């Protein structure tokens, strides 16, 4: 546990008592604060009471009297589409609002930090797509190289559940826009921006607000080194703002095309990763045969992880060896079976159109299972991106409406996963791939994308 420091003897209210909320309450108590807890659900309140925490309804009169801060869970809106009433009340009372990420950065460098011979470092990864794979890949590279590390944030453990880092350790964090948007302290040593595409637009008031939330990771504390994907305009803008000019070694640009200038660049093209510095090639890696990183989108993830590892001082050869042993993450281009010459790939994490488009480019002949709860931002990115698709099989409560976006693409409205898998398997030919890449959220039929991916795997298992 990382004890939260700076609130000794003070009252701090915690709103939202899921995984991160209860973790925050425990870390506040470990640091000497009194945690006052609340959740709109009975289950969350009961869990907090069972651990001895005091429940305080933030909407009661004088609830914020003497409260030093309100710590809210990432999923609770604080601005758009409208602030949660408890957060609005805290702001009206002049009580600072923060989240567990802010508390983590505020507390991490205190305590025994000065006694480390090699101070621990933090690598923070954000972006629309690929941040989970990139974060896990960085951790895998470090572990393979024998460097102690911990992985947390939007993937795996909550940040305050981490153990205090040991000498020379690296903490790798995956951070969503919900987490970076509100954190009052953001001071990673290395910050990574993978890419940007429309997502969570209702929560951020549009694309500008969404990008602004991501940009805070680079603007609030100023990392020692930044890894920026520059294939999109927002990435190029961010890289330009962070650089003091051509050749600034604090910036590493990642792209799918050759870049001008004499900077530090990592480029992936036609399955090859190339590192150049000051106009000269420093390393080259063939990514095409790496089973855990299929497709151009995963090659970009590999480039971002490679750049972060190089910024940490690892050699190209050590990184290359680790790339070849990376097995990938569940629900992200996860090859789960091959039956009668047909591959079955679970990319349930492709919850937006851009992520699905990247998955569709990774395989030559695809039976595509898609559909679900559509997100803001539209389906325009699908235009011209379905050339590898033999046929689509549409799931979701509004499957017929989703199918309208497929225009002339051969498709079948299936409704549920069992029907979609059965129909795709019946029609698939050897050499083809049955790909779950929904291009939509899962909440119309499932609790989360993991449950959707597990259902896909269950239905595929029945085929055997």
């Amino acid at each position: 546990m990382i004890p939260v420091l700076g609130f000794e003897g003070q009252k701090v209210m915690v709103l939202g008592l899921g995984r991160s909320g209860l973790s925050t309450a425990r870390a506040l108590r470990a640091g000497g604060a009194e945690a006052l807890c609340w959740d709109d659900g009975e289950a969350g309140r009961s869990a907090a009471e069972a651990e001895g925490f005091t429940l305080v309804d933030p909407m009661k009169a004088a609830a914020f009297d003497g409260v030093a801060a309100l710590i809210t869970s990432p999923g609770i809106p604080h601005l758009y589409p409208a602030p949660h009433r408890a957060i609005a009340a805290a702001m009206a009372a002049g009580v600072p609002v923060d989240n567990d990420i802010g508390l983590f950065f505020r507390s991490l460098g205190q305590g025994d930090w000065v006694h480390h011979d090699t101070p621990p470092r933090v690598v923070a990864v954000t972006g629309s797509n690929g941040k989970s794979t990139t974060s896990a890949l960085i951790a895998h590279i470090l572990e393979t190289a024998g460097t102690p590390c911990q992985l947390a944030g939007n993937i795996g453990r909550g940040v305050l559940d981490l153990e205090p880092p040991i000498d020379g350790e690296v903490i790798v964090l995956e951070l969503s826009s919900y987490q970076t948007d509100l954190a009052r302290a953001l001071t990673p040593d290395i910050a990574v921006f993978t890419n940007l595409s429309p997502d969570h637009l209702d929560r951020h008031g549009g694309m500008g607000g969404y990008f602004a939330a991501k940009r805070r990771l680079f603007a609030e504390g100023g990392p020692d080194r930044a890894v920026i994907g520059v294939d999109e305009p927002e990435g190029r803008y961010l890289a330009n703002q962070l650089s003091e000019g051509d050749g600034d070694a604090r910036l590493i640009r990642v792209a799918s095309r050759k870049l001008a200038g004499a900077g530090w660049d990592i480029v992936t093209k036609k399955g090859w990763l190339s590192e150049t510095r000051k106009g000269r090639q420093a390393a080259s890696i063939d990514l095409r045969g790496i089973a855990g990183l299929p497709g151009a989108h995963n090659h970009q993830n590999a480039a971002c992880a490679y750049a972060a590892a190089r910024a940490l001082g690892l050699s190209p050869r050590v990184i290359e060896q680790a790339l070849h042993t990376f097995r990938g993450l569940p629900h992200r281009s996860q090859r789960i079976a091959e039956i009668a010459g047909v591959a079955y790939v679970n990319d349930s994490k492709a919850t937006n159109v851009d992520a699905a488009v990247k998955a569709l480019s990774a395989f030559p002949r695809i039976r595509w299972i898609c559909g679900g709860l559509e997100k803001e931002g539209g389906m325009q990115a699908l235009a011209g991106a379905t050339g590898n698709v033999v046929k689509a099989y549409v799931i979701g409560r509004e499957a017929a409406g989703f199918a309208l976006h497929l225009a002339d693409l051969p498709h079948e409205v299936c409704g549920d996963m069992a029907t979609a898998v059965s129909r795709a398997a019946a029609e698939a030919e050897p050499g083809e791939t049955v790909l779950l890449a929904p291009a939509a959220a899962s909440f119309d039929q499932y609790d989360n994308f993991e449950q959707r991916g597990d259902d896909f795997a269950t239905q595929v298992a029945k085929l055997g």
Side-chain angles (χ1 to χ4, degrees), residues 302-340:
C304 289
Y306 176 95
R310 291 288 284 139
L312 290 167
L314 274 65
S315 72
R317 178 171 294 183
V318 167
I319 299 170
E320 181 176 7
Q321 291 173 345
L323 294 179
H324 280 278
T325 59
F326 182 65
R327 298 178 61 87
L329 292 178
H331 313 293
R332 298 160 178 87
S333 295
Q334 178 190 15
R335 187 185 180 101
I336 59 172
E338 181 175 326
I339 303 172

Side-chain angles (χ1 to χ4, degrees), residues 151 214-215 237 264 275 287 320 369 396:
L151 176 65
K214 300 286 190 185
R215 182 181 176 274
Y237 169 82
W264 191 352
E275 176 187 2
L287 303 173
E320 181 176 7
I369 299 177

Side-chain angles (χ1 to χ4, degrees), residues 115-120 148 165-169:
H115 301 303
H116 290 299
D117 292 330
T118 303
I166 63 175
D167 194 83
E169 189 166 17

